[in-house]
Amino acid sequence: LYAITCQLAKIAAKGKIDFFEDGVNLENSAVLHALKDTKNFARVIIKPREEFTASQVRRLKDFFTEYFGSPPSHNEAKALGKETAGMFQKLAGELSDIITRYRDYPFIETLREPLEKIKEITGRDYSYYIKEIDRFEDMLVDDNEDIIVPLRKFLTGPQKEIYDNAREFVRNHRSNFHEIDGDLHERLTGIIESRDCFKGSRMQEVNGLVEELNQTVALRIQNERNAALESIESLKQRLQSAPEFS
């Protein structure tokens, strides 16, 4: 048995076979432990390492670069597949954190569906990402371009500040909106409550609407203040001209 395990260790070192225990692909020290643990040796499955064509590996590398925004660190098939798996796991965690942190933002719900798609392919064996790329490539790239990238950019850039200021403005002045002519307040509320407000130049429109509404609200408040002062002054004059004050 010792001679067999030595031979297996040599073959494994050359990258010719893979070891699995309870469906988990073993690596490095885990392989050595499995070879030495004769009591549980029956649970270890040894398979010839799958061979992949250069075009298969290149396709995953291209997807990796496009999707994650930077080239992978590895060129060898297994290392590349494992790196891809690790990146998906990291991304799933980051998106989950974003959903939790910004849960009171209406548009954050658009992340849930892309996140679920990522979770479906997270934790797979390295070979899955090479062999089954047709199952997820277009779907994930579309989600990344349409939702994930623009939303994350929105949350880390100046657009988020515009959005936050607009929400605060609406909260503070909503009671005055019904007295303002036109549909400016409806357009503003509609944008900041929409599920795609993080896309394109929506915040530029929001900024303009806030400025215009702010001027309108300020003018209305000033007019009401002036009217109140005039009313007080008129009442004061009537009181002073009354016989009781003569």
Side-chain angles (χ1 to χ4, degrees), residues 4-142:
I4 294 174
T5 55
C6 285
Q7 285 297 111
L8 289 173
K10 290 179 181 180
I11 297 172
K14 295 178 180 179
K16 299 296 184 181
I17 55 177
D18 283 319
F19 293 78
F20 297 84
E21 184 174 3
D22 297 330
V24 178
N25 188 195
L26 303 179
E27 295 285 340
N28 304 322
S29 60
V31 172
L32 294 176
H33 181 269
L35 290 173
K36 293 177 181 179
D37 186 8
T38 55
K39 292 182 180 179
N40 293 313
F41 201 73
R43 295 165 54 194
V44 177
I45 298 175
I46 304 170
K47 297 179 180 180
R49 181 168 297 180
E50 292 186 70
E51 297 288 338
F52 301 101
T53 66
S55 62
Q56 284 179 301
V57 174
R58 184 168 58 252
R59 184 178 177 187
L60 181 58
K61 287 176 64 178
D62 291 344
F63 165 81
F64 187 107
T65 302
E66 179 182 8
Y67 189 80
F68 295 111
S70 60
S73 303
H74 300 91
N75 295 314
E76 188 271 326
K78 182 175 182 178
L80 174 62
K82 292 181 71 65
E83 184 178 2
T84 303
M87 290 295 288
F88 275 127
Q89 186 170 9
K90 178 183 176 184
L91 179 60
E94 291 173 350
L95 297 185
S96 294
D97 289 344
I98 288 174
I99 289 174
T100 300
R101 192 182 317 149
Y102 298 103
R103 57 184 175 272
D104 62 328
Y105 285 36
F107 62 84
I108 213 68
E109 288 298 310
T110 60
L111 266 185
R112 290 196 182 277
E113 186 175 342
L115 174 58
E116 289 306 312
K117 293 176 184 177
I118 292 170
K119 285 182 175 180
E120 287 177 8
I121 66 168
T122 298
R124 304 271 188 158
D125 181 69
Y126 76 91
S127 62
Y128 172 86
Y129 303 100
I130 303 174
K131 294 189 301 183
E132 306 296 338
I133 191 170
D134 282 332
R135 292 178 178 269
F136 60 81
E137 182 178 25
D138 292 341
M139 172 184 67
L140 294 190
V141 168
D142 288 346

Side-chain angles (χ1 to χ4, degrees), residues 151-194:
L151 193 149
R152 297 181 80 177
K153 183 178 180 181
F154 178 95
L155 292 174
T156 56
Q159 290 186 321
K160 177 180 176 295
E161 183 177 356
I162 295 174
Y163 179 84
D164 288 340
N165 290 339
R167 290 184 82 195
E168 184 68 17
F169 177 82
V170 169
R171 279 195 293 266
N172 292 339
H173 299 287
R174 190 183 292 273
S175 60
N176 296 314
F177 286 165
H178 71 281
E179 299 178 356
I180 297 176
D181 295 332
D183 65 346
L184 293 178
H185 59 285
E186 293 177 352
R187 286 164 55 193
L188 175 60
T189 304
I191 293 174
I192 65 175
E193 292 180 354
S194 70

